[in-house]
């Protein structure tokens, strides 16, 4: 069932989205050589709780942390660990969901750790831009396939590939709601976008092939070929006046 929210409910959801964005900014500022992903996770948890929110992923389907931190060939759902020490040249995808007033926000960003290669920077730029291409297509009356095809067209033109095994999704009182928002697809196909829907658009883009596999911890998704992957995400409300990005800071 697709949940459509009133304008009032969307205003109420804004605080969770803003908190998610502030937490992501704080996490990004901690990315530097020598820092462990565990340290970043602890700081995010403390920050979100200090602001009166909840780290939504902690305990969700058994997920053990307040962030997902996915380094280099880890695509998504990397579990923060004291053993994962960031190094110069890494690309570090951080995905954070915070809850407040009964709603959740969801956002992700891939940060460079120190100086990164030109190739890695190009992947980050293209993935970020593809998110904005997807957001542009998130117009009331369009369909989820319009978002997916916009993302896919942009990244495949640059010879990157769209990860298929994870998608964007509705988000609101639940972390994951219908509809699912694939980052590939056919224009005009899929569920129609209606004002009041709130969705997470989140391209996960690989430098090599799109296939992924899950490590033995049951969460960490890596590219099968070991190529780098990037991940950018915003929570977006469908409004009569076009898409509104809810996880922006001004
Ligand atoms: N933001 C992530 C997503 O949209 C949340 C991961 S869910 C968890 O999939 F299970 F890892 F917590
Ligand atoms: Co998400």
């Amino acid at each position: 069932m697709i949940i459509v929210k009133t304008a009032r409910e969307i205003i109420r959801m804004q605080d969770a989205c803003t908190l998610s964005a502030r937490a992501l900014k704080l996490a990004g500022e901690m990315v530097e050589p020598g820092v462990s992903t565990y340290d970043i996770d602890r700081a995010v948890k403390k920050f979100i709780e200090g602001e009166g929110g909840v780290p939504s992923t902690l305990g969700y389907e058994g997920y053990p942390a307040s962030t997902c931190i996915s380094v280099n060939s880890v695509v998504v759902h990397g579990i923060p660990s004291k053993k994962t020490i960031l190094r110069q040249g890494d690309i570090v995808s951080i995905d954070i969901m915070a809850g407040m007033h009964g709603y959740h926000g969801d956002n992700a960003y891939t940060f460079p750790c120190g100086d990164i290669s030109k190739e890695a920077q190009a992947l980050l730029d293209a993935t970020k831009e593809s998110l904005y291409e997807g957001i542009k297509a998130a117009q009331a009356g369009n369909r989820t396939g319009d978002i997916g095809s916009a993302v896919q067209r942009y990244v495949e033109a640059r010879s990157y590939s769209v990860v298929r095994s994870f998608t964007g999704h509705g988000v609101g009182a639940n972390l994951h709601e219908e509809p699912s928002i694939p980052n590939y697809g056919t224009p005009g196909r899929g569920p129609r976008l209606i004002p009041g829907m709130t969705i997470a658009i989140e391209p996960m883009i690989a430098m090599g092939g799109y296939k992924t596999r899950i490590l033995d911890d049951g969460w960490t998704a890596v590219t099968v070929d070991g190529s780098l992957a990037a991940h950018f995400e915003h929570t977006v409300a469908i409004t009569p006046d076009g898409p509104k990005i809810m996880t922006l800071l001004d």
Side-chain angles (χ1 to χ4, degrees):
M1 189 191 52
I2 293 179
I3 299 167
V4 176
K5 293 152 192 89
T6 63
R8 234 185 127 82
E9 286 170 317
I10 290 178
I11 288 168
R12 196 173 163 77
M13 184 166 152
Q14 183 59 61
D15 287 339
C17 291
T18 301
L19 184 57
S20 302
R22 291 176 66 205
L24 184 57
K25 178 166 187 271
L26 170 121
E29 286 165 357
M30 288 183 70
V31 170
E32 57 176 295
V35 172
S36 80
T37 57
Y38 176 86
D39 293 334
I40 298 175
D41 187 77
R42 297 313 292 182
V44 166
K45 178 174 190 286
K46 197 170 163 210
F47 172 73
I48 291 174
E49 290 175 345
E51 294 293 315
V54 292
S56 315
T57 56
L58 188 58
Y60 177 75
E61 290 181 8
Y63 187 74
S66 302
T67 60
C68 300
I69 307 185
S70 307
V71 181
N72 295 335
S73 61
V74 181
V75 181
V76 282
H77 303 168
I79 302 173
S81 163
K82 285 182 184 165
K83 291 190 200 136
T84 307
I85 313 283
L86 300 180
R87 290 179 305 194
Q88 161 97 356
D90 285 344
I91 60 171
V92 185
S93 301
I94 305 183
D95 187 346
I96 298 179
M97 301 188 83
M100 197 172 235
H101 315 316
Y103 289 103
H104 304 278
D106 193 0
N107 60 177
Y109 196 101
T110 303
F111 299 94
C113 182
D115 292 328
I116 62 172
S117 70
K118 255 214 223 113
E119 292 73 24
Q121 187 61 53
L123 174 70
L124 268 48
D125 293 344
T127 306
K128 188 197 224 177
E129 194 53 40
S130 77
L131 167 60
Y132 287 94
E133 290 291 312
I135 293 171
K136 254 190 267 168
Q139 305 288 341
N142 275 0
R143 293 177 181 270
T144 56
D146 294 298
I147 298 175
S149 72
V151 172
Q152 184 176 22
R153 213 178 333 105
Y154 189 86
V155 303
E156 289 184 355
R158 286 151 186 80
S159 303
Y160 300 124
S161 58
V162 171
V163 168
R164 309 289 205 265
S165 16
F166 302 92
T167 65
H169 49 89
V171 56
N174 307 292
L175 276 59
H176 295 128
E177 299 179 349
E178 285 179 43
S180 103
I181 314 283
N183 296 297
Y184 57 92
T186 309
R189 297 285 185 84
R192 195 181 289 281
L193 303 172
I194 302 166
M197 284 170 62
T198 47
I199 58 175
I201 303 178
E202 50 177 319
M204 290 147 267
I205 305 300
M207 201 119 105
Y210 65 73
K211 293 212 172 119
T212 61
R213 67 187 174 88
I214 308 288
L215 300 188
D216 288 342
D217 61 22
W219 285 103
T220 311
V222 300
T223 55
V224 167
D225 62 11
S227 70
L228 294 179
H231 180 206
F232 286 80
E233 173 177 36
H234 273 306
T235 298
V236 175
I238 310 300
T239 85
D241 310 320
K244 178 176 187 289
I245 303 176
M246 298 185 70
T247 40
L248 272 186
L249 297 176
D250 22 49

